[in-house]
């Protein structure tokens, strides 16, 4: 799911590292989305599927064009209400006007509302439920100006208003009794200006600034009492109570310059330098300087080499204060140093083959909190298996092989990645909880004027998990045994391999007015039981566990007119 409908997008770019200095405050990756630009006088779509009902209208008239997209979620209509009620909708609009022949002004707005009620246990004596209500409103003005054939600028003035209300309770006398009230409000106003100077086809210089000021209010109140296995976890108190109030405010600032040269017919070189700073972190000085360099060299018409090196920082956003875990201060910006090299070869039959290797050394790692045994806990921060991780450093490295080809009505692709992601904790390297040593993805698509069929397969090594050991350490006043549960080495084991096959089939019909597209999608078509978590419990003095799984086979149908 996304707060932006795919039908309202003209294109998406994904950077997984090595991106230029234009983009800052991200230490690993980012996604760039371009809204749809009307290419006809009017185009309208109405869609209905298991997941949502949608409406989209776009058009162009003279020097003006517009885009309007609205979606309403349908899951609350198909899910049994006893399990909860997911209610969500989003609206996106853009209106643009050409100002003379050298400028374009666009007015943009995005509003997304998610109110999700999740019920895990309906029995009043063991009730477990949580309600999360999130509203995100964004409004921005964008002015694109062409000052001369070689000089252009883009100016964006934006306003964001975000709020979240989370209320939940768990009432299981054998494990956990807990309540939580978590309210967050954030507003931010920002100004960004980017300039591009292209004196020739072989030279391009960019520079710009980004200024933002934000205010946030956090009100958190949570309490929990532990029983059974949760009370037996080694070193955990029998109960916890936490109240946190915080109202941070401050700014974040950035400036950059980058220069790209076509050194020769075969070589392109780009260097960049970026500066960022934040004032809401209560640190005397936390400014960051990020040098970057990228090189592309064509050894022939069919082959190319790419190399990227740079430093990347990511600050803790003002809306991400970890009040749920009792943290009231912001951490310094995390730092990642990237080294990426790739080789691409185009075969005589136009198959693209690529091999890429990467190394990311991460420093100033922000402390984080994880749940050892239940990552999907209904109130994760109050579970007894919650732990704080303070890595001194981290590293991600790996190598990826990929191939893709388009021929006629067919497209296919495949990739294999070996990677390793670790944290250094107490002088030892431990795999991160989302580390997957081997990953394989492949798929194909076929289409003609009426039919379209696609399949995508995904497989990866199971994620790490931590063992648990139980010991009887005595008896209480009623001669009932007292147990102590001790975790084994963290993330020393791995879950079974994850794999899934997804299919989509669609048929297009020409109508007297417009066209109708009918489709069916099936996720996990083989209905594979992919283990997500391990649920531990004490039964008759013995430690037992059961497995929980990711989603089973899920079909969905829909139409688009």
């Amino acid at each position: 799911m996304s707060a932006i409908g795919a039908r309202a997008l003209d294109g998406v770019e994904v950077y997984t590292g090595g991106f230029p200095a234009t983009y800052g405050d991200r230490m690993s990756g980012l996604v760039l989305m371009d809204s749809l630009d009307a290419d006809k006088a009017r185009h309208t779509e109405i869609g209905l599927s298991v997941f949502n009902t949608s409406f989209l209208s776009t058009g162009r008239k003279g020097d003006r064009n517009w885009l309007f997209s609205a979606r309403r979620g349908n899951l609350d209509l198909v899910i049994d209400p006893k399990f909860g009620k997911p209610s969500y909708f989003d609206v996106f609009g853009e209106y643009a006007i050409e100002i003379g022949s050298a400028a374009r002004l666009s007015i943009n707005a995005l509003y997304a509302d998610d109110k999700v009620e999740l019920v895990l246990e309906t029995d009043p004596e063991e009730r477990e439920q949580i309600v999360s209500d999130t509203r995100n409103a964004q409004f921005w003005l964008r002015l694109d100006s062409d000052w001369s054939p070689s000089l252009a600028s883009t100016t964006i003035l934006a306003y964001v208003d975000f709020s979240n209300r989370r209320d939940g309770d768990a009432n299981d006398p054998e494990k956990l009794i807990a309540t939580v009230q978590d309210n967050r409000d954030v507003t931010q106003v920002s100004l960004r200006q980017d300039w591009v100077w292209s004196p020739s086809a072989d030279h391009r210089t960019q520079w710009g600034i980004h200024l933002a000021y934000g205010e946030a209010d956090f009100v958190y109140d949570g309490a929990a009492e532990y029983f059974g296995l949760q009370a037996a976890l080694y070193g955990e108190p029998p109960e916890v109570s936490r109240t946190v109030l915080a109202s941070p405010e401050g700014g974040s600032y950035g400036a950059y310059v980058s220069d790209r040269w076509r050194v020769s017919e075969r070589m392109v070189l780009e260097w960049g330098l970026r500066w960022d700073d934040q004032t809401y972190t209560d640190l005397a000085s936390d400014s960051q300087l990020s040098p970057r360099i990228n090189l592309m060299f064509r050894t022939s018409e069919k082959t190319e080499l790419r190399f990227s090196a740079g430093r990347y920082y990511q600050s803790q956003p003002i809306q991400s204060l970890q009040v749920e875990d009792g943290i009231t201060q912001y951490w310094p910006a995390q730092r990642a140093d990237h080294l990426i090299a790739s080789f691409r070869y185009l075969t005589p039959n136009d198959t693209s083959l690529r091999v890429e290797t990467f190394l990311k050394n991460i420093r100033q790692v922000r402390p984080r909190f994880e749940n050892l045994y239940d990552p999907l806990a209904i109130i994760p921060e109050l579970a007894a298996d919650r732990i704080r991780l303070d890595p001194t450093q981290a590293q991600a490295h790996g190598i990826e092989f990929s191939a893709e080809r388009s021929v006629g009505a067919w497209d296919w692709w495949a990739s294999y990645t070996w990677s390793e992601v670790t944290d250094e904790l107490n002088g030892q390297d431990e795999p991160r909880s989302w580390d997957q040593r081997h990953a394989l993805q492949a798929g194909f698509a076929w289409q003609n004027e009426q039919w379209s069929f696609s399949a995508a397969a995904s497989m990866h090594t199971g994620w790490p998990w931590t063992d648990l050991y139980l010991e009887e350490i005595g008896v209480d006043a009623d001669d009932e045994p007292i147990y102590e549960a001790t975790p084994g080495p963290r993330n020393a084991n791995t879950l079974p391999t994850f794999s899934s096959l997804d299919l989509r089939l669609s048929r297009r019909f020409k109508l007297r007015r417009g066209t109708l597209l009918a489709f069916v999608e099936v996720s996990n078509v083989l209905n594979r039981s992919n283990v997500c978590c391990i649920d531990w419990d004490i039964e008759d003095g013995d430690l037992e566990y059961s497995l929980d799984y990711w989603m089973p086979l899920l079909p969905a149908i829909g139409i688009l007119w």
Side-chain angles (χ1 to χ4, degrees):
M1 306 293 185
S2 167
I4 301 176
R7 303 288 300 182
L9 295 178
D10 189 48
V12 177
E13 292 181 72
V14 179
Y15 286 92
T16 56
F19 42 90
T22 307
Y23 309 110
D25 211 16
R26 296 291 184 273
M27 71 171 183
S28 190
L30 58 88
V31 178
L32 304 177
M33 292 179 284
D34 291 326
S35 57
L36 191 64
D37 196 10
D39 58 359
K40 58 180 68 174
R42 185 184 296 272
H43 175 78
T44 303
E45 295 180 355
I46 299 175
L48 177 64
S49 73
V50 171
F51 296 110
N52 60 62
T53 300
S54 63
F55 174 82
L56 183 144
S57 177
T58 180
R60 177 185 295 274
K61 184 176 182 181
D63 58 359
R64 306 169 186 227
N65 61 72
W66 70 88
L67 167 66
F68 178 81
S69 170
R71 300 183 302 166
R72 191 265 188 205
N74 291 336
L75 287 181
D76 59 327
L77 305 177
V78 298
I79 291 179
D80 191 329
K82 73 178 183 179
F83 297 120
K85 184 179 179 181
S87 173
Y88 55 95
F89 69 89
D90 55 70
V91 178
F92 172 65
E94 178 181 15
Y95 183 80
I97 181 172
E98 305 289 339
I99 304 175
S101 60
R104 180 179 187 266
L105 176 66
S106 66
I107 305 171
N108 307 264
L110 170 67
Y111 183 84
D113 186 293
D114 299 312
K115 185 175 183 180
V116 179
E117 178 184 353
L118 176 65
V119 180
L120 296 185
E121 184 60 58
T122 57
D123 187 341
E125 296 183 355
E126 297 184 356
R127 185 179 66 252
E128 287 187 70
Q129 68 177 30
I130 196 161
V131 178
S132 177
D133 189 357
T134 303
R135 293 182 174 89
N136 190 341
Q138 302 187 31
F139 176 82
W140 67 101
L141 299 173
R142 172 172 176 150
L143 177 64
D144 295 288
S145 305
D146 294 324
W147 301 97
S148 72
S150 61
L151 183 64
S153 69
T154 298
T155 304
I156 299 175
L157 178 64
Y159 174 78
V160 177
D161 187 2
F162 170 86
S163 68
N164 175 255
R165 305 287 182 265
R166 183 169 61 111
D167 295 283
D169 58 84
N171 185 25
D172 187 347
E174 296 182 356
K175 294 182 179 181
L176 171 73
I177 295 178
T179 61
V180 64
Q181 288 185 323
D182 185 0
N183 298 329
R184 303 165 186 239
D185 295 280
V186 180
T187 59
Q188 187 178 70
V189 60
S190 64
L191 173 67
R192 179 182 182 117
Q193 190 170 64
D194 300 279
W195 291 81
V196 178
W197 180 53
S198 304
S200 70
D202 297 329
H203 185 203
R204 176 186 174 96
T205 301
Q206 292 181 268
W207 68 93
I209 60 171
H210 182 209
L211 314 173
Y213 180 83
E215 297 178 347
D217 285 302
F218 299 88
V219 180
Y220 180 89
D221 187 30
E225 188 176 0
Y226 306 117
F227 305 92
L229 179 60
Q230 298 241 358
L233 283 173
Y234 174 75
E236 294 301 318
E239 59 184 37
V240 62
S241 179
R242 185 177 301 139
T243 300
V244 180
L245 303 175
S247 298
E249 60 180 288
S252 59
Y253 312 101
Y256 73 92
V257 61
S258 66
D259 201 53
R260 179 185 298 178
W261 285 85
R262 182 177 297 278
V263 181
S264 67
E265 288 296 323
R266 293 188 174 186
M267 182 183 295
V268 177
L269 174 68
E270 180 182 57
W271 66 268
L273 184 64
R274 184 177 183 90
W275 172 87
D276 292 279
D277 194 13
Q278 302 81 37
T279 64
Y280 54 83
T281 60
D282 294 331
L283 297 174
S285 178
D286 187 32
S287 62
Q288 305 100 44
L289 197 62
S290 310
R292 304 171 191 180
I293 187 169
N294 294 282
L295 175 69
M296 190 275 287
F297 180 71
R298 296 186 184 275
T299 57
S300 69
E301 291 185 357
K302 298 287 188 178
T303 61
E304 68 179 29
L305 292 168
R306 292 178 181 266
F307 175 77
S308 177
R311 176 159 292 179
Y312 298 81
Y313 284 93
Q314 181 169 312
S315 65
Q316 185 176 2
I318 194 170
Q319 71 270 17
S320 298
L321 189 62
Q322 297 160 289
V323 294
E324 68 274 18
D325 290 297
I327 304 298
T328 57
Q329 82 272 10
Y330 292 89
W331 305 104
Q334 300 180 96
R335 189 190 89 195
D337 294 327
H338 294 192
L339 284 175
I340 305 170
S342 70
F343 172 77
R344 179 177 177 267
Y345 173 66
L346 191 63
T347 67
N349 68 352
D350 290 333
T351 300
S352 175
L353 305 176
R354 185 174 64 90
V355 57
E356 180 172 285
T357 181
F358 67 91
L359 170 65
K360 297 180 181 180
N361 286 317
I362 306 172
R363 300 294 185 267
Q364 300 166 208
V365 186
R366 182 190 312 161
R368 68 180 188 275
F369 294 82
E370 292 185 7
N371 292 71
L372 275 179
Y373 302 109
D374 189 3
L376 304 181
I378 193 169
I379 310 177
E381 72 273 17
L382 295 180
D385 65 339
R386 187 77 160 178
I387 62 170
R388 172 172 165 166
L389 302 174
D390 289 271
T392 53
Q393 60 181 358
Q395 186 180 97
H397 60 270
I399 186 169
E400 178 179 274
F401 303 89
S402 63
E404 61 182 48
R405 188 188 182 201
S406 297
V407 52
W410 291 88
D411 296 276
W412 64 265
W413 65 94
S415 70
Y416 164 76
T417 306
W418 178 93
S419 63
E420 188 175 36
V421 188
T422 58
D423 285 308
E424 185 179 285
L425 293 159
N426 301 318
Q428 300 291 327
D429 287 337
E430 294 183 5
R432 287 197 168 183
S433 298
W434 52 90
D435 174 74
Q436 50 192 43
R437 196 62 47 88
H438 305 279
L440 178 66
Q441 295 191 4
F444 71 88
W446 173 87
Q447 64 179 352
N448 61 20
E449 292 184 356
Q450 293 181 323
W451 290 94
S452 174
F453 178 74
S454 59
S458 176
M459 179 182 299
H460 65 74
T461 306
W463 288 349
W465 64 278
T466 304
D467 214 336
L468 187 64
Y469 303 94
L470 187 68
E471 180 183 359
E472 185 176 334
I473 60 174
V475 296
D476 60 17
D478 298 324
D479 289 332
E480 294 293 331
I482 300 175
Y483 299 102
E484 183 177 86
T486 304
R490 177 177 170 271
N491 286 349
N493 309 293
T494 56
L495 296 173
T497 298
F498 174 98
S499 65
S500 180
L501 176 63
D502 306 329
L503 303 178
R504 176 184 169 100
L505 176 67
S506 66
R507 170 73 154 84
R508 186 180 300 274
F509 301 89
K510 290 186 177 181
L511 306 180
R512 182 174 300 177
R513 181 174 181 181
T515 61
L516 182 72
L517 179 73
F519 64 87
V520 57
E521 299 174 340
V522 184
S523 299
N524 193 13
V525 68
L526 300 180
N527 200 28
R528 178 177 169 84
S529 297
N530 291 303
V531 178
C532 80
C533 337
I534 298 177
D535 186 17
W536 297 88
D537 208 349
I538 299 176
E539 292 289 343
D540 299 325
D542 293 324
L543 189 63
E544 297 184 353
Y545 70 87
S546 59
L547 301 179
D548 292 330
Y549 301 93
W550 294 115
M551 292 294 187
L553 181 150
L554 284 177
I557 60 174
I559 57 174
L560 182 71
W561 173 66

